């Protein structure tokens, strides 16, 4: 099997390739190719990845390249984790909306549209190259944010793609610690859209233990997502961290106006990480990587690839077409739900209808995502305006007029 990682200059990459190597008894990875357009970052990150693999006794081939076609030739899986425009663009996504009195966040609201507008055209170009150069039936596994919109654009264009986020696996690991059990025994029934999900059940050996978690650890869970404990009890579900932008909008906006943007902190963390990665003696993941965010990202990626390749039938939280999974949404909407993954097959688990207080918000944001994917793929500014109007965190014509130009320029940016 050949796996290509596009955007391998990411500081997450060493952990990802190390995870693939550790699973080599179940995933026969003979070739790993790391691609990035930033040669310096690729050299530094790829060097650490190679040292980590050597330490693990990996006997396959690992290569770094700046040539996309070379990376994709004959690949069975293409894992894409690009950040178009880098952290500088993220900083703009997080700060431009604040000037208009809107939440500044790189995947949610106005910032998410700006990120999609930059990212979708590049992703579609990569996907066309996958179609031409990769192996027959190759999968594109998308970690690139905003995952829901990017995955929708890929599927709309007819590509074999699935989206993946680390929120569900993070909750699986934290709930396992609270319950004192192995994470593998837990299936998180988290449903909605990417970065707009609720945990409605936590199945431990098929038994739903969410009521127990709420009763015994509700305060800890609420604190972790920065939402009131009472809200969790009222919903009978645990919202994702990203729901705080909706449920506590004014408080979050006030906090953002008075604090250093997350992008600025991440820039500093990445500079320090890359300096650590340059150490030729370093052959393991540094503890500082945990400050970068994206916890358990590599485990989610490795697990999904393992299931698609081996057909083990494990359940993974993925972003796929809705079809008939969630009532009240269109068949072609992209939802984030648990699915059983067999060899080359992803089948969402059956889901009860969403409660009205959840469904209304999901429908609202799904309409925005439909418009955002269309606008990002076409570059149509009129559709982009409609997307901002449709988003529940914006929705006012005056705000749209003030946001659109500073958000969407420059459209072209390096990967």
């Amino acid at each position: 099997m050949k796996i290509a990682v596009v955007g391998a200059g990411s500081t997450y990459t060493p952990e990802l390739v190390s995870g693939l190597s550790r699973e080599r008894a179940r995933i026969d990875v003979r070739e790993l190719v790391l691609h990035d357009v930033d040669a310096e970052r690729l050299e530094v990150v790829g060097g650490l990845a190679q040292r980590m693999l050597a330490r693990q006794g990996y006997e396959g081939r690992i290569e770094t390249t700046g040539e996309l076609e070379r990376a994709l030739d004959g690949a069975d899986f293409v894992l894409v984790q690009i950040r178009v425009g880098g952290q500088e663009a993220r900083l703009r996504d997080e700060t431009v909306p604040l000037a208009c009195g809107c939440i500044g966040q790189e995947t949610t609201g106005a910032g998410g549209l700006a990120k999609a507008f930059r990212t979708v055209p590049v992703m579609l170009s990569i996907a066309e190259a996958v179609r031409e150069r990769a192996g027959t039936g190759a999968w594109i596994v998308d970690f690139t944010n905003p995952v829901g919109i990017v995955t929708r654009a890929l599927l709309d264009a007819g590509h074999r793609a699935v989206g993946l986020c680390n929120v569900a696996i993070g909750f699986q690991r934290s709930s396992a610690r609270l319950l004192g059990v192995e994470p593998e025994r837990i299936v998180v029934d988290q449903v909605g859209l990417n970065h707009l999900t609720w945990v409605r059940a936590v199945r431990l050996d098929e038994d739903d233990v969410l009521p127990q978690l709420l009763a015994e650890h509700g305060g800890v869970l609420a604190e972790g997502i920065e939402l009131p404990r009472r809200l969790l009890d009222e919903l009978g579900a645990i919202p994702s961290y990203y729901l705080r932008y909706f449920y506590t909008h004014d408080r979050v906006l006030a906090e953002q106006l008075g604090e250093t943007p997350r992008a600025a902190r991440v820039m500093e963390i990445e500079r320090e990480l890359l300096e650590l990665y340059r150490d030729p003696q370093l052959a393991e993941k540094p503890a500082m990587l945990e400050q970068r965010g994206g916890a358990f990202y590599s485990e989610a990626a490795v697990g999904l690839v393992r299931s698609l390749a081996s057909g083990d039938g494990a359940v993974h939280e993925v972003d796929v077409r809705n079809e008939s999974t969630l009532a009240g949404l269109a068949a072609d909407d992209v939802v984030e739900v648990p699915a059983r993954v067999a060899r080359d097959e992803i089948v969402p688990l059956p889901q009860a209808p969403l409660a009205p207080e959840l469904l209304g918000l999901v429908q609202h944001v799904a309409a925005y995502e439909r418009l955002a994917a269309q606008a990002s793929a076409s570059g149509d500014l009129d559709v982009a305006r409609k997307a901002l109007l449709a988003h529940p965190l914006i929705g006012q014509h005056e705000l749209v007029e003030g946001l659109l130009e500073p958000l969407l320029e420059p459209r072209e940016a390096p990967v």
Side-chain angles (χ1 to χ4, degrees):
M1 183 190 301
K2 174 179 176 178
I3 296 179
V5 181
V6 179
S10 166
T11 49
Y12 293 128
T13 296
E15 184 176 16
L16 172 63
V17 297
S18 176
L20 291 168
S21 171
R22 288 194 302 270
E23 285 286 332
R24 59 187 179 271
R26 290 186 285 181
I27 310 176
D28 187 17
V29 182
R30 301 293 178 89
E31 186 175 3
L32 275 168
V33 183
L34 310 181
H35 170 272
D36 204 282
V37 297
D38 187 325
E40 181 181 0
R41 284 186 67 119
L42 183 60
E43 180 181 6
V44 172
V45 174
L48 175 57
Q50 290 171 330
R51 295 192 297 274
M52 291 174 71
L53 291 180
R55 184 173 182 175
Q56 292 176 11
Y58 174 69
E59 297 177 351
R61 178 182 178 185
I62 179 170
E63 177 184 352
T64 59
T65 179
E67 299 178 11
L68 182 63
E69 293 77 11
R70 168 69 195 96
L72 299 180
D73 279 340
D76 300 286
F77 290 91
V78 180
L79 314 183
V80 189
Q81 52 182 26
I82 64 173
R83 178 177 289 280
V84 180
Q87 294 296 336
E88 293 80 6
R90 174 181 178 173
L91 182 60
R92 189 167 63 249
D93 296 342
E94 292 181 353
T95 54
V96 168
L98 294 177
C100 295
C102 294
I103 291 286
Q105 213 284 324
E106 64 162 339
T107 62
T108 300
L113 178 66
K115 186 174 178 65
F117 222 69
R118 287 192 310 274
T119 304
V120 165
V122 178
M123 287 293 296
L124 291 175
S125 177
I126 292 170
E128 283 300 321
V130 171
R131 181 177 280 159
E132 294 173 5
R133 307 299 291 257
T136 303
W139 280 94
I140 298 172
V141 181
D142 173 52
F143 313 114
T144 299
N145 279 319
V147 168
I149 296 171
V150 170
T151 302
R152 176 169 192 134
L154 291 171
L155 294 174
D156 287 348
H159 298 291
R160 195 181 205 201
V162 58
L164 189 63
C165 181
N166 71 317
V167 171
I169 192 172
F171 184 83
Q172 180 204 44
R173 300 306 171 88
S174 63
S175 59
R177 286 196 301 272
L178 292 173
L179 294 168
V181 301
E182 293 298 315
E184 293 73 17
R185 295 176 58 190
I186 290 180
V187 172
V188 177
D189 196 348
Q190 174 179 290
V191 299
L193 310 177
N194 178 244
H195 289 184
L196 194 87
T197 52
W198 296 262
V199 175
R200 299 193 299 175
V202 179
R203 306 196 185 283
L204 173 61
D205 302 333
E206 302 301 326
D207 295 326
D208 183 11
V209 294
L210 179 59
Q212 176 187 344
L213 274 171
L214 285 172
E216 298 177 1
H217 306 287
V220 172
L221 294 168
E223 182 179 356
I225 56 176
E226 299 183 39
L227 287 171
R229 162 66 189 275
R230 179 180 174 183
L231 176 62
L232 277 62
D233 293 331
E234 290 174 347
L235 294 175
I238 303 175
S240 81
Y241 172 85
Y242 292 88
L243 265 299
R244 66 191 291 267
Y245 299 116
F246 298 85
Y247 291 150
T248 60
H249 174 279
D250 292 353
R251 187 185 77 194
V252 171
L253 180 59
E255 291 171 357
Q256 289 186 338
L257 289 169
E259 64 186 16
T260 301
R262 171 66 178 165
R265 175 59 183 145
V266 170
M267 286 182 195
E268 182 59 31
I269 292 171
E270 288 211 328
R271 281 193 291 269
E272 295 178 28
L273 281 172
L274 290 171
E275 192 59 35
L276 290 173
Y277 287 8
R278 287 186 172 91
D279 180 357
Q281 302 305 312
L282 183 66
E284 61 183 2
K285 178 184 73 172
M288 188 178 185
L289 185 58
E290 296 178 6
Q291 299 179 37
R292 175 64 182 80
F296 309 113
Y297 143 77
S298 64
E299 286 91 334
V302 171
L304 179 58
V305 170
R306 181 186 64 233
S307 293
L308 286 169
S310 69
D312 61 15
V315 174
H316 300 271
E317 188 83 12
V318 289
D319 291 82
V320 292
R321 289 289 197 202
N322 179 53
E323 302 298 346
S324 59
T325 305
L326 291 178
L329 296 181
D332 65 342
D333 284 334
V334 168
V335 295
E336 189 166 290
V337 293
R340 195 165 299 282
V341 181
R343 189 184 300 275
D344 289 333
E345 184 180 37
I346 300 175
V347 181
L349 300 183
Q351 293 293 332
L354 291 169
E357 62 273 18
L358 311 186
L359 179 61
L361 184 53
V362 170
Q363 289 174 323
H364 203 162
V365 177
Y368 152 77
E369 290 196 347
R370 177 183 297 274
L371 292 164
Q374 181 184 341
S376 301
S378 66
D380 190 320
L381 296 182
D382 288 336
V383 179
R385 288 185 181 88
K386 292 177 182 177
L388 289 175
L389 279 173
H391 201 288
L393 295 182
I394 306 160
Q396 298 181 61
H397 182 261
E398 291 79 6
L399 290 178
V400 172
E401 289 301 304
L403 281 168
L404 194 66
E405 184 174 342
L407 271 178
L408 301 188
E409 294 296 338
R411 177 174 167 80
E412 298 297 333
V415 178

